[in-house]
Each structure stands twice: as C-alpha cells, then as structure tokens.
Amino acid sequence: MSAGVQATKIVGAILKPVLPEWGEKVERMLGLSEPLTFANAAEPVPVGTKIAAYETLADRLDPKVLDAILEASKQ
C-alpha cells in the first residue's frame, strides 16, 4: 500500500500542471503541508500519515459519450 500511495503522489505531481484539480485532491488526501511539486514529489510519505477520505479523481468514460465526441471531432 505504501508504494501505491507514493506512486499516487508522484503521478499527482506529474499531472498537476495539466490537471490541477487532480493534484489538489491528492494533496488533500495525503494531508500535505505544502503544495505538490516536481521538487517534493519523490520525498517519502511519512510513516504514520493518516490518509483522508478518498476523493474520486476521475470518472469512467462512457463508451457512448466517447463515440459521440469522436464522431463530432470528425466534422
């Protein structure tokens, strides 16, 4: 589990510039004392960190909605 939490922190830092809400959710869930950045992403999550309640990071794509988007983009 620790590896998964650390991986989430690193992915959050990578995606934060393009998906800022995603990065902010990761910050809240991990209770980070400072904003998540490339510089601090690899710092280990301290032992004993209490993880906050899970926030949905992304919803599943509905294949029908995706097909409609792709079809509309062809025009």
Side-chain angles (χ1 to χ4, degrees), residues 10-75:
I10 292 168
V11 171
I14 292 168
L15 292 178
K16 189 175 177 185
V18 292
L19 298 170
E21 287 183 18
W22 205 92
E24 291 166 4
K25 287 179 181 182
V26 170
E27 291 170 352
R28 283 194 300 272
M29 287 188 290
L30 296 179
L32 300 178
S33 59
E34 56 187 45
L36 188 55
T37 65
F38 292 129
N40 66 16
E43 293 174 6
V45 175
V47 173
T49 296
K50 300 242 187 246
I51 306 296
Y54 177 77
E55 295 182 47
T56 301
L57 297 173
D59 294 320
R60 288 183 182 259
L61 289 176
D62 180 343
K64 292 177 185 175
V65 172
L66 185 56
D67 289 340
I69 291 170
L70 292 173
E71 194 59 40
S73 70
K74 291 178 182 177
Q75 297 174 358

